[in-house]
Amino acid sequence: MSYRAIVVGLGGLGSATLYRLAADLGPGVLGLEQFELGHARGASQDHSRIIRLAQHQEEYAALAEPAYKAWHEVEAQACQQIITRTGGLVIEDRVERAGIASGNRNIEGYTAMFDRFGVAYERLDADELVARWPQFALAGGEQALYQPDSGIVDAARANAVHRALARAHGAEIRANTPVRAIRPDGEGVAVVTDGGVLRADRVVVTSDAWTNQVLAETGTALPLTVLQEQVTYYATPHLAEFSPSRFPIFMWHGRHNFYGFPVYGEVATKLGQHMGGHETTADDRTFEPDPVRRERYAAFLDRHVPRFGGPELYTKTCLYTVPPDQNFVLDTLPEHPQIVVANGAGHAFKFAALIGQLLAELAVGHTPSQPIGSFSITRPALTDPSYPRSFHV
């Protein structure tokens, strides 16, 4: 069978891309997922992801507001709520952070981008933060930023909405259909599955931890590291204090980088650590939580947000698939421009609705509507073997 476009992998980026391609091209668009839809083996499961205008790098700050716009367009199309606004805090423990090389991932880095892109925010010292949110216990050396537009994007719901909208525009979806290879075929692409070879004018690869397996016969191999990360849900007895209307999402930059959510999706709060998980592969990963990180989370909460915790509801693992510079990959293969490749570097879900639009634009040969030159597949981080790796900042 022949298709105008095929999307390989239907997590957050793939589902969004499928919708945008179907909206542009109509019937003749196919989405392939190797597991069941909404599976828990990759990076796009669970109820909640943070969405925020708070960015400390220009390439992401430029995309933050357009990402909100893209999500609101999807919500309007589906008449479904995907984003819950809670407000958001960036908290920097300057005592713990002393001596840690963090680039511009600090208060000044965020404020520089806020000011550059005209984003409203408040700067708070430790006393001001605790006066407003007494749920926190601070030592006094912390500095914080509050941005009122931050919140939660419902990951599982967003993926389901994107797929439903894609079907409404005539897209076909096949679950439990692994792609064994993609091969450039003239100006098109041959897509090898267990059920036969499909052909497409263009293919978008959004396969995350399985990217290099899918690309193996294209001659491209990206220097991607797969990390097993985890989050814990706590059955706090203090539900009112940690409701989305009373407690913001937060990011904590100290010795470790933590992030937390109010009660959402489960009758529980949620805490995770950005990066720091052990290296694995898509095939070798386990679903067993790391007890060291469990203890680390509990110690952090006991010290800084004591009523946030409670009996552990559960801890679940997911995969981050990360280039050496921790930046996205959004590009076509240089020798095969009919093949588009995306990698979200473990932090793309907040941008997924926009990234789907950008990947669809690349696939049909349009100039991307947003600046994505920093995410080129030919940048030194992906082509220079000596490029340094750093995944634990």
Side-chain angles (χ1 to χ4, degrees):
M1 296 183 65
S2 183
Y3 292 88
R4 302 182 72 183
I6 293 177
V7 178
V8 181
L10 295 182
L13 304 189
S15 296
T17 303
L18 188 72
Y19 160 54
R20 294 291 184 169
L21 281 171
D24 189 12
L25 300 176
V29 175
L30 172 65
L32 298 176
E33 170 54 54
Q34 65 176 320
F35 303 116
E36 70 276 8
L37 297 177
H39 67 84
R41 296 171 178 86
S44 294
Q45 69 270 23
D46 207 4
H47 318 289
S48 50
R49 295 290 188 278
I50 290 174
I51 186 168
R52 52 188 166 87
L53 294 173
Q55 302 291 334
H56 63 280
Q57 296 166 283
E58 182 178 355
E59 56 265 42
Y60 296 104
L63 299 181
E65 189 172 349
Y68 272 78
K69 180 181 177 182
W71 283 117
H72 293 322
E73 289 173 353
V74 172
E75 288 180 314
Q77 285 290 316
C79 292
Q80 299 289 320
Q81 183 177 352
I82 296 173
I83 292 175
T84 298
R85 179 173 149 171
T86 64
L89 289 165
V90 177
I91 305 169
E92 183 181 0
D93 185 329
R94 298 209 163 184
V95 175
E96 282 194 356
R97 206 71 171 160
I100 297 176
S102 59
N104 57 354
R105 187 181 289 170
N106 52 35
I107 293 296
E108 288 72 25
Y110 286 103
T111 58
M113 291 300 105
F114 281 151
D115 293 340
R116 178 162 187 167
F117 288 90
V119 176
Y121 67 94
E122 297 176 66
R123 186 163 182 167
L124 308 170
D125 63 23
D127 291 339
E128 291 168 327
L129 190 154
V130 172
R132 192 176 303 186
W133 293 284
Q135 298 94 325
F136 287 99
L138 303 182
E142 299 86 357
Q143 293 286 315
L145 299 172
Y146 176 70
Q147 210 293 312
D149 297 306
S150 301
I152 297 167
V153 55
D154 192 314
R157 188 177 187 85
N159 295 345
V161 165
H162 273 135
R163 292 190 293 263
L165 291 174
R167 285 189 173 114
H169 286 281
E172 179 186 347
I173 293 176
R174 299 186 194 178
N176 300 301
T177 305
V179 170
R180 304 304 180 185
I182 62 172
R183 300 168 182 154
D185 184 12
E187 294 184 355
V189 186
V191 179
V192 181
T193 73
D194 293 342
V197 178
L198 308 171
R199 284 179 169 77
D201 296 334
R202 70 264 326 188
V203 165
V204 182
V205 177
T206 48
S207 300
D208 205 50
W210 294 266
T211 296
N212 282 330
Q213 292 172 239
V214 173
L215 292 176
E217 295 192 24
T218 69
T220 296
L222 300 177
L224 302 176
T225 299
V226 179
L227 305 173
Q228 182 168 302
E229 305 293 341
Q230 66 191 53
V231 296
T232 298
Y233 281 90
Y234 299 92
T236 176
H238 309 293
L239 296 178
E241 293 179 32
F242 294 96
S243 69
S245 62
R246 295 188 179 183
F247 189 75
I249 61 95
F250 71 88
M251 298 187 299
W252 179 281
H253 297 328
R255 184 174 297 111
H256 303 289
N257 293 329
F258 296 104
Y259 58 92
F261 294 76
V263 174
Y264 181 89
E266 301 283 2
V267 184
T269 52
K270 173 182 170 183
L271 186 76
Q273 179 187 342
H274 179 63
M275 300 292 184
H278 64 267
E279 294 188 18
T280 185
T281 70
D283 297 323
D284 295 334
R285 63 82 58 89
T286 73
F287 291 84
E288 294 299 318
D290 175 8
V292 172
R293 297 184 73 176
R294 265 185 170 141
E295 293 175 6
R296 184 183 299 158
Y297 292 10
F300 168 78
L301 292 178
D302 286 345
R303 181 179 180 187
H304 291 299
V305 209
R307 291 163 71 88
F308 184 103
E312 180 181 319
L313 184 63
Y314 58 80
T315 293
K316 65 193 308 182
T317 65
C318 67
L319 300 180
Y320 280 14
T321 305
V322 189
D325 59 0
Q326 301 185 34
N327 287 328
F328 299 164
V329 180
L330 307 174
D331 205 353
T332 58
L333 295 185
E335 296 182 2
H336 308 293
Q338 70 273 41
I339 299 174
V340 180
V341 178
N343 170 263
H347 59 103
F349 204 98
K350 65 185 73 67
F351 299 100
L354 176 63
I355 289 174
Q357 174 185 322
L358 296 170
L359 296 176
E361 291 167 351
L362 285 172
V364 300
H366 294 165
T367 300
S369 54
Q370 301 296 331
I372 58 172
S374 296
F375 311 130
S376 165
I377 204 167
T378 59
R379 67 182 188 264
L382 302 181
T383 57
D384 182 354
S386 66
Y387 195 94
R389 303 188 323 159
S390 177
F391 303 136
H392 301 280
V393 174

